[in-house]
Amino acid sequence: MNTPEPPRWPHCAHGANLADPVGCRGIHLPGYTACLAHLTDAGRDAYLTGLTPGDRIDHRGATFTDSLLSTLLDALRDPATGKANLGDTSFEGVTFEGEADFAGVTFEGDAIFAGASFEGYAGFHSAIFKGFAEFGKATFSDSAGFGSATFDGHAGFRLADFESWSNFASATFKEEAEFRSATFMGHAAFQSATFEDGASFEEATFADSAAFPTATFQGVVVFRNATFEGHAGFGSAIFEDVDFGEAIFEERAEFGGAKFTGGAGFWEARFESSASFSSAAFGGLAGFGSVTFENDADFRSVTFDADADFRSVTFDGDADFRSATLVKAAVVGPLVCAGRIDMSGAAFGGPVTLLFAARRLECRRTRWSATAEIRLRYATVDFAHAVFEYPLTIAAEPDPFVLTDGSELAETAFAGAPGPGVRVASLRGVDAAHLVLADVDLSGCLFAGTVHLDQLRLEGACTFDTSPSSVHWRRWPPVRFTVRRVLAEEHHWRANQPGAVRGWNVAVLGASRAGPLQLAPVYRALRKAFEDGKHEPGAADFYYGEMEMRRHADDIPRTERGLLTAYWALSGYGLRASRALAWLAAAMLSTIVLLMAFGLAQDTPKQTATGTVPAGGGKVTFKIDKDDPQNPAGDRFTGERFEKALNITLNSVVFRSSGQDLTTAGTYIEMTSRLTEPVLLGLAVLAVRNRVKR
């Protein structure tokens, strides 16, 4: 059993016994051997009568009822103001059994309440502390009211225990305010409070809501390792330099409209619920390194005038940066977002590099005033209507991001993802003159409405969607599409056509429908971009797409559409060698059959010579004649006739005459063959050339 320690001052010892050999711990009053509570009535009256406003009082360790405290304060009340006026005051270790009402009291000197116990309401509303105010290790079992109080000197609440509601609203702290390791079990109200020379809430615990809206923090404010178990409200607060390093926010954290004129450090803080910094302004460094947001984070309309450090930040929910302004941020990230990062409408004032591993990145109508590089992993990026006048690169990062200490950024949020590839969802409304895409998937990208698309630079392995490759028995004849690079908009258009075959992808929700009239110039611009990049096979696919869109467009004459259809049917616009060779083979076979049936003469005509010999001798004259070729009769399809027909057909392919004797029909058949078959051969050669040209 521990023996109670006596206080360090001479104490009353009233009520001492075996169980409590110390007894009353109240300090002896001057000239007495008892504390104020245990003085005789005559002695108490004599003591109180001798007090004047502004006197020094010392009641360490005493016990006060509310009536006794009221009597003491009445003795110190200034008749001119009607308010109690105390000089140096020591209530160290005092127990206030009832209500402790110090409202409006002026403490002219130091006020010591260290270790005091307030069992009832502690009221210091509008109190003035002109000297040192010490409440270290004090216990407030009921509500504590310091609203509109003024602390001219140091205010110490280190290790104070507020077991109920505490009110510091509109209080003024002219020197440092120390709440280090304090515990606030009830609602803590600091709205409109002013801290003129810094404050420390290091390792403080707020078990209920903490309200700091419109509070003003000048100097250095420390919330390092603080724990906010309830709602933390700092809306519209003003901070000069603040440190929330390693703080824990278990419920919603609200910093909307806050102004951070100097540095703001949230290093390694953890937000277990949603966090809002909407419309906040960071004038100095915004340090969010290694912060964990376990729910959604709201940075809408935030202004970062200096650097914004988001290295190794983890967003388990969505991160909303819509309409944010980043004036001088050089590098944002690397960071991980398991949900969506929305930077729509954000503005970047200087060169910047974004390093994100995220599910989706929204950059609609984002403004970039300098060069920018966006390096992504796992993300689908929407860049519709973004505005930039300087080179901007969107690239897929093949390997995990490396932090400054050489370690890799943890990506456990993407453990089940198929791969770190990056997909571009939309470039609509973008001026692509300065845009570079590297190693990204463009299979679902919407291009209609993009400006200067012909100047787009594609680096690395940029992939597009392809057409369905199998044969589809929609109706007779069956439909087959040759595999080629296809825009997502063509997929959407074909899937929306009556009787569309399977394999064409329908439009996603919110994607406007573009038809052949809009897609033809898109294919044309991409073809030029590929040609400028010396990627002729890729350019050939986009030429095919352009011709397809022209063939299906409604704004071309029917005759031109017929020519395009014939061009498509014969050789796939000069790009399908197999189709041209098939037609060539069919034409040659037809020529052979027709020649065998109608074109080759029955027999080779014999030449005959006739002449007259003059009776008297002299010069003999001969007339050589040849019979006209006779139409075939009998068996026309013989091996000999096939060989002749094949010889004639092969010569026709290369513009040569076979020299065979043909019937009139055969002559016309050969002429037609010599016109069509070389053209088909040329189309096949052209198609091969377009596929292998570099």
Side-chain angles (χ1 to χ4, degrees), residues 583-599:
W583 280 108
L584 176 61
M588 292 175 65
L589 180 60
S590 299
T591 301
I592 291 173
V593 172
L594 291 174
L595 286 174
M596 292 176 66
F598 308 105

Side-chain angles (χ1 to χ4, degrees), residues 655-679:
F655 282 106
R656 292 180 58 188
S657 175
S658 64
Q660 295 282 347
D661 292 311
L662 303 173
T663 64
T664 302
T667 301
Y668 286 105
I669 292 171
E670 184 186 33
M671 292 172 60
T672 303
S673 174
R674 292 178 64 186
L675 175 65
T676 58
E677 292 170 5
V679 172

